[in-house]
């Protein structure tokens, strides 16, 4: 079975500061990894995905994530956040196409 | 290019009633999945449909059932509603290929009173 742990339920940060949202996963088989963002009253939008190849993955809106197999982590980073990045962020894994989500991290960007 | 569309956007039902939620997948997608997102939680997988058959199922009781139509649209039915069924129900579509990302609709907010 697979599981996802998002270590921080909330991350407050000031505008233009860097941010890292942490994600660790557990799986006995190889998995694909994803980060999704959810804005208020909306569905989930794909930020980026890791399927194979380079462990540094670039996504939309200036986000990137690094896959670390030895640490079973897939942390999300952005060098300079904007007010509009305020949202809920979900890490997810799948060995096939059934996504298993973490509980989410609320990113709150302050001016 | 139309994305995933869900209807209705909001719904209020009473305990014991039955509800049907509807989903149209993104153009070109033929696989539809349903997720339940309780307040403050991540989405939980309910089931997935492909070629009008339920292909995978999560840990949900038989009160939750679904259907996929020849045009790939899908319905989620929940019988004998409980207060705990109150949640955002998300539909997602994709291609039947490993690693293909899911595209989500904006969800149906179900409130059971």
């Amino acid at each position: 079975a697979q599981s996802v742990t998002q270590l921080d339920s909330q991350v407050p940060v000031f505008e233009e500061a860097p941010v890292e949202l942490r994600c660790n996963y557990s799986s006995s088989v190889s998995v694909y990894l994803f980060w999704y963002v959810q804005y208020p009253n909306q569905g989930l939008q794909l930020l980026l995905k890791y399927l194979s190849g380079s462990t540094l993955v670039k996504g939309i809106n200036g986000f990137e994530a690094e896959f670390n197999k030895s640490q079973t982590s897939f942390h999300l980073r952005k060098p300079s956040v904007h007010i509009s990045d305020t949202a809920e962020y979900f890490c997810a894994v799948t060995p096939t196409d059934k996504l298993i989500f973490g509980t989410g991290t609320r990113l709150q960007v302050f001016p | 290019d139309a994305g995933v569309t869900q209807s209705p956007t909001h719904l209020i039902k009473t305990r014991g009633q039955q509800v049907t939620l509807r989903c149209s997948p993104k153009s070109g997608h033929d696989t539809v999945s349903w997720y339940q997102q309780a307040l403050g939680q991540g989405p939980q997988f309910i089931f997935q449909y492909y070629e009008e058959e339920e292909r995978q199922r999560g840990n949900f009781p038989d009160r939750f059932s679904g259907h996929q139509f020849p045009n790939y649209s899908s319905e989620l039915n929940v019988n004998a509603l409980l207060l705990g069924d109150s949640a955002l129900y998300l539909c997602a579509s994709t291609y039947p290929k490993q690693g293909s990302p899911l595209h989500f609709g904006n969800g149906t907010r179900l409130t059971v009173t």
Side-chain angles (χ1 to χ4, degrees):
Chain A
Q2 292 76 37
S3 66
V4 177
T5 301
Q6 292 186 242
L7 298 162
D8 306 296
S9 59
Q10 295 187 61
V11 173
V13 64
F14 287 108
E15 195 173 18
E16 298 184 5
V19 70
E20 178 180 82
L21 306 183
R22 296 180 292 169
C23 172
N24 286 89
Y25 70 93
S26 173
S27 177
S28 57
V29 299
S30 296
V31 294
Y32 305 113
L33 297 148
F34 303 83
W35 275 98
Y36 282 84
V37 60
Q38 186 175 34
Y39 298 102
N41 301 313
Q42 293 189 26
L44 281 73
Q45 180 183 2
L46 179 68
L47 275 178
L48 49 78
K49 61 184 178 184
Y50 174 78
L51 304 182
S52 64
S54 173
T55 57
L56 184 62
V57 180
K58 294 191 182 298
I60 63 171
N61 301 340
F63 284 94
E64 63 180 32
E66 185 159 17
F67 170 58
N68 187 319
K69 188 174 181 179
S70 63
Q71 297 187 7
T72 59
S73 68
F74 190 54
H75 300 334
L76 181 70
R77 302 186 183 100
K78 186 169 183 178
S80 176
V81 295
H82 189 268
I83 294 285
S84 60
D85 292 323
T86 294
E88 192 84 20
Y89 291 78
F90 292 96
C91 180
V93 302
T94 178
T96 55
D97 52 7
K98 177 184 86 172
L99 284 177
I100 297 159
F101 287 89
T103 53
T105 297
R106 171 76 176 165
L107 175 63
Q108 181 74 50
V109 181
F110 296 94
Chain B
D1 179 20
V4 179
T5 58
Q6 293 186 242
S7 64
T9 55
H10 294 83
L11 204 52
I12 300 175
K13 290 287 188 178
T14 304
R15 271 183 306 174
Q17 285 188 317
Q18 178 265 343
V19 68
T20 297
L21 311 182
R22 295 176 175 82
C23 171
S24 292
K26 179 180 170 66
S27 178
H29 287 180
D30 56 9
T31 302
V32 174
S33 300
W34 287 92
Y35 288 79
Q36 181 196 66
Q37 185 178 18
L39 202 61
Q41 299 295 316
Q44 299 289 318
F45 175 75
I46 303 175
F47 44 53
Q48 183 185 76
Y49 278 84
Y50 172 66
E51 291 188 341
E52 302 179 49
E53 298 278 338
E54 183 182 289
R55 194 164 77 158
Q56 293 190 70
R57 188 177 183 92
N59 189 25
F60 279 80
D62 292 343
R63 298 187 297 109
F64 289 77
S65 63
H67 188 77
Q68 186 179 34
F69 299 93
N71 66 354
Y72 309 123
S73 66
S74 177
E75 288 182 349
L76 165 64
N77 300 292
V78 187
N79 294 322
L81 284 167
L82 304 173
L83 295 179
D85 295 331
S86 295
L88 181 67
Y89 288 85
L90 295 164
C91 173
S93 69
T94 188
Y95 305 104
K97 176 183 175 183
Q98 286 191 9
S100 295
L102 297 182
H103 293 254
F104 285 84
N106 285 336
T108 294
R109 173 72 64 187
L110 172 64
T111 302
V112 182
T113 62

